Amino acid sequence: MSSNKKYWKSVEELNENSSIVETLRNNEFIEEIPTSDFLSDKDSLSSSSTTRRDFLKYVGFTTAAASLAACEGPVHKSIPYVVQPDTIIPGIADFYATTMFDGFDFANLLVKTREGRPIKIENNTIEGANFAANARVHASVLSLYDSMRLKSPKIDAKSASWSEVDANIKASLTEAKSTGKQVVLLTNTQASPSSEKLIADFIAKNPTAKHVVYDAVSESPALDAFETVYGERALADYDFSKANTIVSLDADFLGDWQGGSYDSGYTKGRVPQAGKMSKHFQFEANMTLSGAAADKRVPMSIANQKLALVKIYNVVTGSSIATGKIENEAEVVKAASQLKAAGSKGLLVSGIQDKNAQLLVIAINQVIKSEALLTAGARLIRKGSNEKVAQLIADMNAGLVHTLIMSGVNPVYTLANSTSFVAGLKKVKTSVAFSLREDETAEVVKIAAAAPHYLESWNDHTLTKGTYSLVQPTIRPLFNTKQFQEALMTWNGVAGTYYDYVKGTSAAFLSGNSWNKVLHDGLLVTGSSAIAGGTADYAAAANALAKATPSKDFELVLYTKTGLGDGQQANNPWLQEFPDPITRVSWDNYVTVSQADATKLLLENKIVANGGLNGSYATLTVNGVKLENVPVIVQPGQAKGTLGLALGYGKKASLKEEMQVGINAYALYNNFNNVQSATLTKGNGEHEFACVQSQKTLMGRGDIVRETTLEIFNTKDAKEWNPVPMVSLDHKEVEASTVDLWESFDRSIGHHFNLSIDLNACTGCGACVIACHAENNVPVVGKDEVRRSRDMHWLRIDRYYSSEDTFAGDNEKKENFDGLFGAKGSLGGFGSMEHPADNPQVAFQPVMCQHCNHAPCETVCPVAATSHGRQGQNQMAYNRCVGTRYCANNCPYKVRRFNWFLYNKNSEFDYHMNDDLGRMVINPDVNVRSRGVMEKCSMCIQMTQKTILDAKRDGRVIKDGEFQTACSNACTNGAMKFGDINDKESNVADLLEDKRMYHLLEHVGTKPNVIYHVKVRNT
């Protein structure tokens, strides 16, 4: 019997008099079908003679139009070029060589542009381009499209014209000259011959003017020491590839120490060649990238490091300066002895911010005649003076400064005594800040001058002695901005543009080369002779260091994180979501504390029900300054009695609300010293972290991260340290690689791509992660979604700790398990292996889609959205995907990402994809995925196909090295190498046959196209 029950879809339908219900009932489509747009008007239709064919065409159109009206997808209208620019070919990328230098980061670059839009940063590989892009430089292209940028100049917080700005400043300069008061240019390090010439001319025209150089993160002690010995204010450069023995005391040279860019040279010596590799000792307080890569890492407070440096000085030079008791003295003596034995193949570096310590470093390297110390190419990227900055603040407060013009600095945010700076600023008659954003300083000055991004600018740089680099714009200025140098030209009465000025200045540096050639190449290497090294009172420096005593309280070590650096790009969502390589935490900074100290203070980290990481809050006090509610991370490897806290967070001005995260550690950066005496007390409540790797170790990781020692590598058969996985076939043990889950295809025809990853060369720097973001339009999801394990990174860099002091100790412990229960039982034993050692070894492993030839994801997709290409790539047809997520469940590598939400044009995810300006960075060669679609690494199929088409157009064979992915292109360490294994002469084909090669989870039988190389430690 049929039912008479009434069914309804909404409460509104129960109202019989509702006009809305009646409208909906009589209209299948709410929006009117736009047939008139296509079928002309009614008059023309009624008067026309319609054939049977036309009639069917119209009927067919109305059906299609109805379908169109029912779809959710928006209709986009394209506007063609009326007159096509002769320099732009639609669909073809242009590359411009340029240089990036913002006072903290620097690199020699190629900028990829599409239809006039810079969309990606790549490394300039011309000979002499030694400075590669780190994660922050790769992300800087997104900062160009920051909707929070200062778009025009302001006077007294009101919009103004540049003529008004210039008139105000010229009048102020005239008044300062007549009254005899100071005019101060406060800038970051310029490293630019043209800029420095303009500044010198400005000072010549304004007798009371002076130039003060201020680096937010100071290297002043190292500069002072180098200037004392070599007579020039610069930083020594180093070639780590020439060092067989490296000893580092608190120098994170794989991170930001003295500007970084040392990793490519370092990794050349870390990959075993002819049975040899360099030996690396690291003494440090915080766990750093350099400490993670070291063969022997010793946790040690800064006070003890100073004593250790004196001990090394004694061993190397034969001196006998007395020191107090040194922690781990045996390890210090061992490192010193091996450094001395290495002679010219040895190198000592130190990040201790103490002039005496830096003098001893120079002395020791002089004694061993280190080949890795390059005084000929001294770095000119830091020139700040702590003393001059302190004097400026005193002069401002004394009312001596009439006009203060700032460029490239944000002292209100970065100075520990910013309140004193602000107080002095109120006594300055005219204050000007050239700034990319209306930051903390631009908010309080009289004139906020909108500055262009480096991708909109002309400039030149001498990053090291003997090199000359050019900066050229890759896009017309987006806003009403003016360079600081252009303004100087106006005030100096110099006619023309800054381009003309740079070109004129360049004549002294081109060495007979043409301007166009240097502009095309991006830089010129002219070379310079080594600076004649002098001497200093090294004994006095050693005696002063020997008096170092440990702090009675905690020793706080301030540092810069790989993601945000000094904080200039805090409004960059790519960098905010970038997981820290060590802690794997994004969207935060935090105080790091050792497990022993955490236990004493009842501080803890714990995994909660949803898999997120929670941590205690603490109150941190330094010299009377108290920071409350600072999140705590219990960091394995942190030296006892020390704390770590990253600079660059806690910004509020000119940032979207989502990016206003973290604590401003600059408030504790007293006297520009990164080491402070601090107290730490537990606070109330818990902090929710967005951590992408909550599990600190992976039990029985032998089949995932494989490693061995150099001695075993040289003396044992490869099958002992790189065993071939075995599986059971017909009740017999056979090699896993000989068993197929499915019938294999002949892949010897055409190209077959493989990606090689060398664990010895990977430093965890993360440049590949950001490059992948840029190339493939990977969305940013925000802290809440990352905490829910919904991050969208196509490429992750897993970090593994050892539960014993070494990974070998882990394996030995695992192999000695006996039974289920007790101290050696596997139940309790495996559980204990999840707790990292107090000083664990660390391994980094980049993991992306493995592009399996026998892919489990492909067999379970009900709509064939994921399939295998003939070239070895596991492909995704986004339009076919219906979001079952079967593929993600069936993937043993967990590399597939699901779009839980629409991240594009969605105010709930207010990042760069939510505004028109931010979307200018999108790569048009790659789809922007929508809600409900699965995505993952594509091996940058758009890049490989372009290489094939370019070679086909040119009628030539593709050379080895032409095939690249975004990650392999960004990796200058040699950790990632991509190529065609069907080309038997290719590098990747040789790596496939290397005895260190293995596949991830090979026993599963997926036959990946990504290969790994066993990590070798020189212990």
Side-chain angles (χ1 to χ4, degrees), residues 635-943:
Q635 176 61 59
Q638 184 80 29
K640 294 178 183 177
T642 69
L643 307 170
L645 182 61
L647 301 165
Y649 286 79
K651 285 175 68 71
K652 302 293 183 185
S654 73
L655 263 68
K656 290 187 176 181
E657 185 178 351
E658 292 82 357
M659 255 72 82
Q660 296 178 20
V661 297
I663 303 293
N664 184 7
Y666 281 113
L668 309 179
Y669 193 33
N670 298 320
N671 300 318
F672 303 98
N673 193 341
N674 70 325
V675 181
Q676 302 286 336
S677 179
T679 58
L680 189 72
T681 56
K682 184 177 181 179
N684 298 319
E686 289 184 346
H687 184 77
E688 295 183 345
F689 289 105
C691 181
V692 298
Q693 185 164 323
S694 298
Q695 190 175 358
K696 297 289 192 296
T697 61
L698 189 69
M699 299 176 293
R701 73 184 61 75
D703 200 35
I704 295 176
V705 174
R706 294 190 187 179
E707 67 170 27
T708 187
T709 64
L710 184 62
E711 181 183 0
I712 294 174
F713 174 77
N714 287 332
T715 59
K716 303 290 185 182
D717 185 80
K719 289 188 177 180
E720 291 190 41
W721 50 265
N722 188 18
V724 178
M726 307 296 286
V727 296
S728 178
L729 179 66
D730 296 332
H731 305 288
K732 295 179 182 178
E733 288 286 304
V734 298
E735 292 185 1
S737 58
T738 63
V739 179
D740 286 339
L741 296 177
W742 301 279
E743 182 179 347
S744 293
F745 295 94
D746 178 13
R747 302 188 182 277
S748 61
I749 300 172
H751 304 291
H752 189 180
F753 299 120
N754 267 206
L755 176 64
S756 168
I757 300 175
D758 194 328
L759 300 184
N760 259 57
C762 179
T763 63
C765 70
C768 54
V769 176
I770 302 297
C772 176
H773 253 291
E775 175 67 31
N776 296 296
N777 302 331
V778 176
V780 173
V781 300
K783 180 176 180 178
D784 290 344
E785 294 302 303
V786 172
R787 181 171 166 80
R788 291 184 175 93
S789 303
R790 292 175 178 172
D791 63 289
M792 295 298 292
H793 296 101
W794 283 13
L795 163 62
R796 70 176 191 264
I797 303 180
D798 287 337
R799 181 267 299 125
Y800 293 107
Y801 292 138
S802 56
S803 61
E804 301 297 310
D805 287 342
T806 65
F807 283 97
D810 285 8
N811 292 331
E812 183 179 344
K813 182 176 181 178
K814 179 185 67 174
E815 289 164 3
N816 289 330
F817 285 156
D818 184 13
L820 291 175
F821 304 100
K824 290 190 175 182
S826 59
L827 288 179
F830 275 124
S832 68
M833 290 185 73
E834 293 188 5
H835 300 288
D838 288 338
N839 182 28
Q841 282 189 338
V842 184
F844 296 110
Q845 184 177 56
V847 181
M848 67 294 291
C849 175
Q850 303 291 291
H851 296 272
C852 311
N853 289 317
H854 291 174
C857 56
E858 295 169 11
T859 59
V860 296
C861 181
V863 292
T866 183
S867 58
H868 211 70
R870 188 171 189 86
Q871 296 172 351
Q873 290 145 317
N874 174 255
Q875 300 171 346
M876 277 295 304
Y878 300 126
N879 283 1
R880 294 187 65 91
C881 180
V882 295
T884 62
R885 291 179 287 141
Y886 296 161
C887 55
N889 292 335
N890 222 37
C891 175
Y893 307 104
K894 301 307 171 194
V895 290
R896 289 177 163 264
R897 301 288 178 259
F898 183 65
N899 286 270
W900 290 93
F901 301 98
L902 178 68
Y903 302 115
N904 178 39
K905 297 184 182 179
N906 187 344
S907 59
E908 293 297 319
F909 299 92
D910 191 18
Y911 309 110
H912 68 287
M913 285 190 179
N914 192 42
D915 61 69
D916 290 337
L917 186 63
R919 282 193 295 274
M920 286 180 70
V921 82
I922 287 175
N923 182 0
D925 291 333
V926 180
N927 284 1
V928 176
R929 284 74 62 185
S930 188
R931 181 180 182 181
V933 172
M934 188 67 69
E935 61 182 69
K936 51 95 204 176
C937 161
S938 67
M939 265 192 184
C940 291
I941 190 169
Q942 70 280 2
M943 295 178 68

Side-chain angles (χ1 to χ4, degrees), residues 297-309:
R297 178 185 181 273
V298 181
M300 185 178 283
S301 68
I302 302 297
N304 271 282
Q305 287 179 43
K306 291 179 178 179
L307 300 179
L309 184 55

Side-chain angles (χ1 to χ4, degrees), residues 747-754 957-963 978-993:
R747 302 188 182 277
S748 61
I749 300 172
H751 304 291
H752 189 180
F753 299 120
N754 267 206
V957 176
I958 297 172
K959 299 176 184 177
D960 184 32
E962 279 193 80
F963 283 120
F978 182 76
D980 178 11
I981 59 173
N982 282 344
D983 176 6
K984 300 306 177 185
E985 302 300 317
S986 67
N987 190 9
V988 75
D990 294 337
L991 292 169
L992 186 63
E993 304 300 323

Side-chain angles (χ1 to χ4, degrees), residues 250-450:
D250 203 52
D252 184 17
F253 54 83
L254 297 181
D256 295 332
W257 175 74
Q258 293 192 3
S261 286
Y262 293 115
D263 41 0
S264 59
Y266 171 79
T267 53
K268 287 177 183 176
R270 299 297 292 167
V271 177
Q273 300 287 345
K276 295 181 180 180
M277 61 182 288
S278 63
K279 182 69 175 284
H280 174 192
F281 295 89
Q282 185 81 11
F283 301 88
E284 62 183 13
N286 298 340
M287 174 68 84
T288 66
L289 290 178
S290 302
D295 297 304
K296 182 62 180 179
R297 178 185 181 273
V298 181
M300 185 178 283
S301 68
I302 302 297
N304 271 282
Q305 287 179 43
K306 291 179 178 179
L307 300 179
L309 184 55
V310 176
K311 190 71 176 180
I312 295 171
Y313 176 77
N314 285 343
V315 172
V316 172
T317 65
S319 303
S320 55
I321 295 169
T323 64
K325 184 179 178 182
I326 305 174
E327 292 178 3
N328 297 293
E329 186 168 348
E331 295 293 344
V332 174
V333 173
K334 180 181 176 182
S337 301
Q338 293 194 24
L339 179 66
K340 183 178 181 179
S344 63
K345 294 296 181 182
L347 175 64
L348 174 72
V349 292
S350 176
I352 300 173
Q353 294 297 309
D354 185 303
K355 182 180 177 181
N356 292 319
Q358 296 299 328
L359 284 172
L360 286 197
V361 170
I362 294 173
I364 292 167
N365 284 323
Q366 283 181 340
V367 169
I368 63 176
K369 298 180 180 178
S370 174
E371 294 178 11
L373 175 63
L374 307 177
T375 57
R379 293 189 171 198
L380 306 177
I381 46 91
R382 301 280 191 276
K383 288 193 175 181
S385 170
N386 297 347
E387 290 76 13
K388 289 182 179 179
V389 174
Q391 184 60 49
L392 169 63
I393 296 172
D395 289 347
M396 288 166 62
N397 279 282
L400 302 177
V401 179
H402 180 279
T403 305
L404 175 65
I405 303 173
M406 295 172 278
S407 175
V409 295
N410 184 9
V412 175
Y413 165 67
T414 57
L415 280 174
N417 55 338
S418 63
T419 53
S420 179
F421 181 86
V422 172
L425 202 60
K426 293 176 181 177
K427 298 179 182 180
V428 174
K429 180 72 178 294
T430 304
S431 54
V432 186
F434 281 80
S435 177
L436 199 64
R437 299 170 186 83
E438 195 169 3
D439 56 26
E440 288 81 355
T441 302
E443 283 183 336
V444 297
V445 294
K446 177 181 176 62
I447 300 174

